[in-house]
Amino acid sequence: MNQSATIVRTGRKFSQVLEGARQVFMRDGFEGASVDDIARAANVSKATLYSYFPDKRLLFMEVAETECARMAERAMDDINKNETPREVLTTTATQIVSFLLSDFALQIFRVCVAESDRFPELGRSFYTSGPEMGQKRMSEYLRLSVDRGELKIDDVKMAAEQFSELCKAKLWTRAVFGIQSEFSQAEIDEIVTHAVDMFMARYGV
Amino acid sequence: MNQSATIVRTGRKFSQVLEGARQVFMRDGFEGASVDDIARAANVSKATLYSYFPDKRLLFMEVAETECARMAERAMDDINKNETPREVLTTTATQIVSFLLSDFALQIFRVCVAESDRFPELGRSFYTSGPEMGQKRMSEYLRLSVDRGELKIDDVKMAAEQFSELCKAKLWTRAVFGIQSEFSQAEIDEIVTHAVDMFMARYGV
DNA sequence: GCCAATATAAACTGAATAGTTCAGAATCGA
DNA sequence: TCGATTCTGAACTATTCAGTTTATATTGGC
């Protein structure tokens, strides 16, 4: 991954370039985005852009990694460990569902899926800083609850995977394929309730 | 969707073209595949190809639709309605998981996700003939079992969505991002068991 | 105010590639 | 065998786009 050596990170317009690239890549994907578009969006000349990034791929990778890190930071941040599992799970599921349905998460998912054939490192990087990261946070919480005797789980990792998977039911697939793009709170709550009910039916004490 | 009107489906080499297109699109995605490549793979001249399909997009759509139909046909075909729910669900889950992890299903998913921004009809078509189709079949079975008193389900559609989502736990995400590409029967069975256990815990009588 | 680093605009190269055209060859039904 | 349909190959157009170049302008530290 460390072709980063060849990226020049100093200079007045570095972050401008990155921000322009972010916008355009997120809107158009990798192939869809032209370097001219990016330069225009960044209010920067093409020559300047190329003085920072040796090529389009590296620029894209940089954007993707930055976005994934930002993503991981946001999602599942405020687990209040003193509430009951049902409460915690409900709060967390609501966050997860809302996040998964955001334009932002959807678009980066699309781009990463689309390009992970061409850039295997991208797939890995996304997985590590996205889904895997979430799964770890969730596992920690579940482990805690099990130790407290609040939940009864044989395989904590698997349970965490199942939980986040349940959060994708119905709406997420529809969102990914552009069938539906607006989601009411009621729709989200419905998914959340069903996810939590199912989880508790299986792992509740 | 019926730009299909403009596709000529008769002629000696129609299926040859389609098969070549299938191979190349599945390997390279939409942008990645060049029409020259496809013509070569199909053992057909470019002119012939264009005599069947007015443009690359329609050719792609045709391939995707054909593949989805084939997909829907295969998956969840042999539900033996006389077994217990646990048995039926286990068989079905095994089929679903294996199918979801096949190169074939993964590749078509990737391509459809990648291109559904540019071709909204493609996303819709994939969703309809893929996930939605599966969900309907599953719903029918669940409805039957509920009527028989074998299961207790408030929202059959939602339960069907949850079930297929549970089949994606752990392995599928890893597959989509190319983290893992070989899956042992034991790994598949693990997912299946956990999916069925969870489902039965929630909806069993 | 000067110098060195940094940025700009715009034109250019070179490579891919979608889609067209057409004269002639292969194929097939009758 | 004949005539019509279908296919071929190869050359051609036109476009898009990554990446380069160059001559000029801006900026900021000293």
Side-chain angles (χ1 to χ4, degrees):
Chain A
M1 199 89 52
N2 267 1
Q3 302 110 322
S4 325
T6 62
I7 297 178
V8 181
R9 281 161 205 283
T10 60
R12 305 206 301 279
K13 311 226 161 169
F14 177 77
S15 56
Q16 236 180 88
V17 171
L18 212 56
E19 172 56 20
R22 193 185 72 83
Q23 281 172 32
V24 180
F25 278 135
M26 295 294 279
R27 195 186 60 216
D28 299 338
F30 179 77
E31 291 292 348
S34 84
V35 176
D36 288 276
D37 273 2
I38 294 172
R40 210 172 304 126
N43 272 314
V44 134
S45 76
K46 214 174 158 184
T48 300
L49 185 155
Y50 274 100
S51 79
Y52 287 114
F53 294 92
D55 66 26
K56 194 186 172 188
R57 293 186 152 223
L58 274 170
L59 177 53
F60 179 76
M61 289 285 297
E62 184 78 11
V63 169
E65 278 167 30
T66 307
E67 290 309 304
C68 285
R70 196 180 299 181
M71 183 188 301
E73 208 173 300
R74 271 202 238 170
M76 302 215 290
D77 226 15
D78 48 18
I79 293 182
N80 178 347
K81 295 177 174 170
N82 296 319
E83 295 175 323
T84 66
R86 183 159 224 115
E87 287 167 335
V88 174
L89 291 174
T90 301
T91 309
T92 308
T94 305
Q95 276 185 261
I96 295 177
V97 175
S98 309
F99 176 72
L100 288 176
L101 296 179
S102 67
D103 281 347
F104 173 74
L106 285 168
Q107 194 53 29
I108 205 160
F109 174 82
R110 283 198 200 100
V111 174
C112 286
V113 168
E115 307 304 336
S116 69
D117 241 23
R118 244 174 303 223
F119 309 148
E121 332 89 69
L122 176 64
R124 177 167 298 279
S125 151
F126 176 84
Y127 179 77
T128 306
S129 55
E132 195 179 52
M133 189 75 179
Q135 184 264 327
K136 275 191 182 140
R137 293 271 193 99
M138 193 70 204
S139 294
E140 284 165 24
Y141 169 72
L142 293 180
R143 163 73 45 218
L144 182 74
S145 293
V146 169
D147 291 345
R148 279 174 173 169
E150 295 170 341
L151 293 173
K152 186 161 162 291
I153 302 177
D154 52 333
D155 182 341
V156 165
K157 279 189 170 189
M158 177 66 82
E161 297 268 5
Q162 288 180 310
F163 186 69
S164 51
E165 218 53 56
L166 285 174
C167 291
K168 292 193 200 153
K170 206 168 171 179
L171 301 183
W172 184 78
T173 314
R174 298 172 66 81
V176 165
F177 292 108
I179 311 294
Q180 190 178 347
S181 56
E182 301 293 327
F183 305 92
S184 69
Q185 193 58 48
E187 285 175 305
I188 293 174
D189 290 344
E190 192 200 1
I191 304 298
V192 168
T193 306
H194 277 82
V196 174
D197 284 350
M198 197 171 219
F199 193 88
M200 291 303 292
R202 173 72 178 87
Y203 297 119
V205 286
Chain B
M1 196 85 52
N2 267 0
Q3 303 112 321
S4 323
T6 62
I7 296 179
V8 180
R9 282 162 205 282
T10 60
R12 305 204 303 276
K13 311 229 162 167
F14 178 77
S15 56
Q16 235 179 90
V17 172
L18 212 56
E19 173 55 21
R22 192 184 72 85
Q23 282 172 31
V24 179
F25 278 134
M26 296 294 278
R27 193 186 60 215
D28 300 337
F30 179 77
E31 292 291 348
S34 84
V35 177
D36 288 276
D37 273 2
I38 294 173
R40 211 171 303 125
N43 273 312
V44 135
S45 77
K46 218 173 155 185
T48 301
L49 187 155
Y50 275 101
S51 80
Y52 287 114
F53 295 92
D55 65 28
K56 193 186 173 188
R57 293 183 153 223
L58 275 171
L59 176 53
F60 180 76
M61 291 282 296
E62 183 76 11
V63 169
E65 278 168 30
T66 306
E67 291 309 305
C68 285
R70 197 180 300 183
M71 187 187 300
E73 207 175 302
R74 270 202 239 167
M76 305 213 291
D77 221 18
D78 47 18
I79 294 182
N80 178 347
K81 294 176 175 169
N82 296 318
E83 296 175 323
T84 66
R86 184 158 224 117
E87 287 166 334
V88 173
L89 291 174
T90 301
T91 309
T92 308
T94 305
Q95 276 184 262
I96 295 177
V97 175
S98 310
F99 176 72
L100 288 175
L101 297 179
S102 67
D103 282 347
F104 174 74
L106 285 168
Q107 194 54 26
I108 206 160
F109 174 82
R110 284 198 200 100
V111 174
C112 286
V113 167
E115 306 303 336
S116 70
D117 241 23
R118 247 174 300 225
F119 310 151
E121 333 90 68
L122 176 63
R124 176 167 297 279
S125 151
F126 176 83
Y127 179 77
T128 307
S129 54
E132 195 178 54
M133 189 74 179
Q135 184 263 328
K136 275 193 180 141
R137 293 271 193 100
M138 192 72 203
S139 294
E140 284 165 24
Y141 169 71
L142 294 180
R143 164 70 48 220
L144 182 73
S145 294
V146 169
D147 291 346
R148 280 174 173 169
E150 297 169 340
L151 295 172
K152 187 161 162 291
I153 303 176
D154 52 333
D155 182 340
V156 166
K157 278 189 172 188
M158 177 65 82
E161 297 268 4
Q162 288 180 308
F163 186 68
S164 50
E165 219 53 58
L166 284 174
C167 290
K168 291 193 201 153
K170 207 167 171 179
L171 302 183
W172 184 78
T173 314
R174 300 173 65 82
V176 165
F177 291 108
I179 312 293
Q180 191 178 346
S181 56
E182 300 294 327
F183 304 92
S184 69
Q185 192 57 47
E187 283 176 305
I188 294 175
D189 290 344
E190 191 199 1
I191 304 299
V192 168
T193 306
H194 277 85
V196 174
D197 284 350
M198 196 169 219
F199 194 87
M200 291 304 293
R202 173 70 178 87
Y203 296 119
V205 285

